[in-house]
Amino acid sequence: MKKVLISRVLPEAVYPLLEGLDVTRRDQTSPLSKDEMRAALGAFDGVLCTLGDQYSADVFADVAQPRCKILANFGVGYNHIDVAAAKAAGIVVTNTPGAVTDATADIAMTLMLMSARRAGEGERLVRAGKWEGWHPTQMLGLHLTGKTVGIVGMGRIGQAIARRCHFGFDMNVRYYGRSPKDLDFEAAFHSDLNALAACVDVLVTAVPGSTETRHMINAQVLGAMQPHARLINIARGDVVEEAALIDALQRGVIGGAGLDVYEFEPALPEALRALDNLVLLPHMGTSTEEVRVDMGGMAVENIQAFFRGNPLPNAV
Ligand code: NAP
């Protein structure tokens, strides 16, 4: 029987899917330490791992003859795994694309609306007992309907956000990427990110974390944005240069921002937390019961397929 380590507590509905495998549950919510990752590579045939389990090249280098042959990632983003190093060690990596798309697009819309309509500020005002009542110029925000959204990375999630903006909010959709996409709704392609940033009311990132996308949103891009525009990041923290964003928000270079992910998460600089024109969520893109069960199901499907010798549904 193949031995599989589950690196984190999963929704209960996922565990029965692991039938036929010798499963070790690590019933913790914290990431694996490097020692735990090395031990797992030596002692298990497969590991169901997730965000925060930093399978970097040195971890693979430390285990000469890994017993582990598959790292089944719970999540679509796998920038915490050095896939080239895993492959060189004879380990396949899989992920869970698709299951996360709608929920993550919904969180992007949540952040867009919260930032544009100053919902975080409003809630803080009410909770602090400082609300003095409705008046015609109270907490005026940005009206989203009919405005222009810029999507950075028009993949699965980018397109789901674009569809919500186009069909739900009658917004003009523009996007930046490596090549134009064949879409069934109107959207203008930009090959220049600064040019896109300059003409949108909301800029939303939906690219994977990678060495190419690190600090894609930097001082130059933020400087190109309009003073009322909002930046939304649901991608990976280091896609946005956090220090440049703090500076842009402090100086009013942009109107506000909404973040689900952080460059050094879960650590947030005090300067970020102090900003009122910023909405902060704790990496909640996929956090619904249904979606987390689906993600678990996909991760287990990859493991089961691998050990049964079937084609891998989601190899990366
Ligand atoms: P996807 O379908 O692969 O889409 C990614 C898009 O980014 C693709 O259109 C891709 O372009 C583009 N891209 C990649 N590298 C680029 C580069 N260097 N320059 C410009 N564009 C680039 O992935 P997805 O399912 O939409 O997920 C996107 C990311 O969202 C994930 O990798 C993950 O990090 C993040 N995410 C976050 C949460 C959360 O909880 N906040 C949840 C789920 C996912 P091509 O079409 O040319 O390949």
Side-chain angles (χ1 to χ4, degrees):
M1 206 181 259
K2 297 295 181 187
K3 283 188 75 181
V4 173
L5 174 70
I6 311 298
S7 84
R8 234 57 86 73
V9 183
L10 297 178
E12 275 308 315
V14 179
Y15 295 107
L17 307 172
L18 289 153
E19 63 172 355
L21 298 166
D22 178 359
V23 172
T24 299
R25 288 169 61 156
R26 178 179 172 271
D27 280 337
Q28 293 181 37
T29 53
S30 57
L32 293 167
S33 69
K34 286 209 168 178
D35 280 344
E36 286 177 303
M37 284 186 282
R38 289 186 200 100
L41 290 181
F44 292 90
D45 299 293
V47 178
L48 190 154
C49 60
T50 192
L51 190 90
D53 298 333
Q54 296 291 343
Y55 273 98
S56 48
D58 58 313
V59 173
F60 297 108
D62 286 345
V63 184
Q65 302 273 313
R67 172 173 174 168
C68 179
K69 296 290 175 251
I70 178 168
L71 288 181
N73 188 54
F74 178 96
V76 67
Y78 52 86
N79 56 311
H80 51 286
I81 302 172
D82 189 324
V83 176
K87 280 186 181 156
I91 300 169
V92 301
V93 179
T94 61
N95 69 344
T96 64
V100 302
T101 302
D102 285 326
T104 311
D106 291 346
I107 280 291
M109 299 311 294
T110 305
L111 286 170
M112 280 172 65
L113 285 163
M114 285 185 76
S115 175
R117 298 301 300 274
R118 303 175 59 184
E121 282 177 71
E123 221 233 6
R124 286 192 289 278
L125 184 82
V126 176
R127 281 189 187 278
K130 291 182 181 165
W131 183 38
E132 289 173 353
W134 189 96
H135 64 81
T137 56
Q138 183 208 351
M139 294 208 67
L140 302 186
L142 176 72
H143 188 58
L144 269 192
T145 299
K147 292 292 192 305
T148 300
V149 64
I151 311 281
V152 181
M154 197 61 130
R156 286 174 293 255
I157 295 171
Q159 288 179 39
I161 298 167
R163 295 183 73 82
R164 283 158 171 73
C165 291
H166 174 82
F167 293 108
F169 290 84
D170 204 16
M171 295 177 80
N172 303 305
V173 177
R174 296 178 168 273
Y175 67 103
Y176 165 78
R178 295 185 284 212
S179 57
K181 299 281 174 193
D182 191 14
L183 303 166
D184 62 359
F185 54 90
E186 208 180 311
F189 174 69
H190 286 254
S191 57
D192 182 325
L193 179 54
N194 289 308
L196 173 72
C199 67
V200 299
D201 301 292
V202 186
L203 190 68
V204 188
T205 55
V207 287
S210 73
T211 45
E212 291 104 71
T213 60
R214 183 173 180 274
H215 290 183
M216 192 174 238
I217 307 296
N218 52 25
Q220 199 183 8
V221 175
L222 293 164
M225 290 171 69
Q226 303 178 70
H228 71 273
R230 266 61 172 178
L231 173 78
I232 306 299
N233 185 16
I234 55 85
R236 279 291 178 264
D238 67 357
V239 170
V240 175
E241 189 178 355
E242 210 158 79
L245 177 64
I246 291 168
D247 180 62
L249 289 169
Q250 284 174 341
R251 292 193 297 112
V253 173
I254 64 172
L259 306 176
D260 189 40
V261 287
Y262 305 89
E263 189 165 1
F264 308 103
E265 68 181 61
L268 268 75
E270 174 53 36
L272 204 64
R273 282 189 281 129
L275 285 160
D276 220 23
N277 53 352
L278 178 61
V279 182
L280 304 166
L281 293 183
H283 203 145
M284 292 172 72
T286 63
S287 62
T288 73
E289 179 75 19
E290 298 92 324
V291 170
R292 292 284 165 85
V293 170
D294 286 352
M295 291 165 70
M298 282 182 90
V300 174
E301 220 176 294
N302 283 306
I303 292 175
Q304 296 283 24
F306 181 77
F307 290 128
R308 288 170 186 160
N310 296 334
L312 279 176
N314 309 108
V316 302

